[in-house]
Amino acid sequence: MRFAYADPPYYLQGKRLYGKHHDDAAIWDTKEAHVDLVEQLVSEYPDGWALSCNPANLSWLLPLMPNDVRVCAWSKSFHQIRPKVNVQYSWEPVILSEGRIIRNRRPMVRDHLVCPIAMKKGLPGAKPDKFCDWILDLLGFLEDEDYVDDLYPGTHGIDAAIKRRIERQLEIPGITA
């Protein structure tokens, strides 16, 4: 199966947070770029995809989605404190479409994850290893059968998560990758 994970610059954050990293970062300051991304995910990844987004944008993003998506939650056990915000942003939604169904999976995969943010990875919004592992679990990714296109690789967290899985599999006696 072929899956996708997308973690683009969040709406209105492109130029401000990523302008020095990428010449085209400002396109993410338009809703049109996000609409185009959703259309790409739906049309090119029928096996499944996951999209990270800002909770403040759910009100206009969700109506763009197919009816069968789920909103999963990454709750940040440690996060940045914003002094000008009355209610702190301590979670990020992950919109999930399809993925492989694995019946009676153990351990089961939950639609929420609690872990701290990544620190000192060199890019704003970089996701921690535990988050990247969770994305693969949400999609039902099997390392010997599937592909994940990380559409905005940033610090290459998804690739590293796949590599960790393959290395773990090689460590188990009787299992080969």
Side-chain angles (χ1 to χ4, degrees):
M1 298 179 94
R2 179 167 230 103
F3 303 117
Y5 172 61
D7 185 15
Y10 297 162
Y11 176 60
L12 299 178
Q13 303 300 314
K15 184 176 180 181
R16 185 175 76 83
L17 293 178
Y18 303 95
K20 67 181 178 185
H21 300 286
H22 198 286
D23 293 340
D24 295 329
I27 67 165
W28 297 103
D29 294 341
T30 69
K31 287 184 180 179
E32 182 180 354
H34 296 273
V35 170
D36 291 346
L37 173 58
V38 170
E39 289 173 358
Q40 176 188 2
L41 291 168
V42 170
S43 67
E44 295 180 22
Y45 297 95
D47 293 332
W49 49 267
L51 170 65
S52 286
C53 62
N54 186 323
N57 299 330
L58 283 174
S59 62
W60 62 267
L61 277 173
L62 284 176
L64 305 172
M65 301 295 164
N67 291 332
D68 62 348
V69 299
R70 286 183 71 165
V71 177
C72 302
W74 168 35
S75 296
K76 303 170 188 178
S77 57
F78 175 80
H79 58 87
Q80 180 179 4
I81 303 298
R82 301 184 186 277
K84 296 180 182 177
V85 176
N86 197 31
V87 178
Q88 295 297 309
Y89 289 95
S90 63
W91 77 288
E92 284 188 29
V94 173
I95 301 173
L96 176 69
S97 177
E98 296 295 323
R100 172 182 281 108
I101 296 172
I102 301 174
R103 303 270 183 230
N104 300 315
R105 183 177 181 161
R106 296 293 182 257
M108 69 179 88
V109 180
R110 299 189 187 277
D111 62 0
H112 71 278
L113 172 70
V114 178
C115 74
I117 62 173
M119 307 223 1
K120 299 181 182 177
K121 287 211 169 188
L123 193 65
K127 301 301 188 268
D129 291 350
K130 192 170 182 180
F131 175 91
C132 296
D133 294 337
W134 178 60
I135 292 294
L136 297 179
D137 290 341
L138 288 173
L139 292 169
F141 174 81
L142 299 176
E143 54 277 350
D144 54 344
E145 296 180 26
D146 301 331
Y147 299 92
V148 177
D149 293 334
D150 187 354
L151 302 182
Y152 304 89
T155 59
H156 301 279
I158 295 295
D159 290 341
I162 292 169
K163 184 178 178 184
R164 281 192 303 277
R165 283 189 177 208
I166 291 169
E167 289 170 353
R168 274 195 305 262
Q169 190 178 51
L170 292 173
E171 293 171 0
I172 300 172
I175 304 276
T176 59

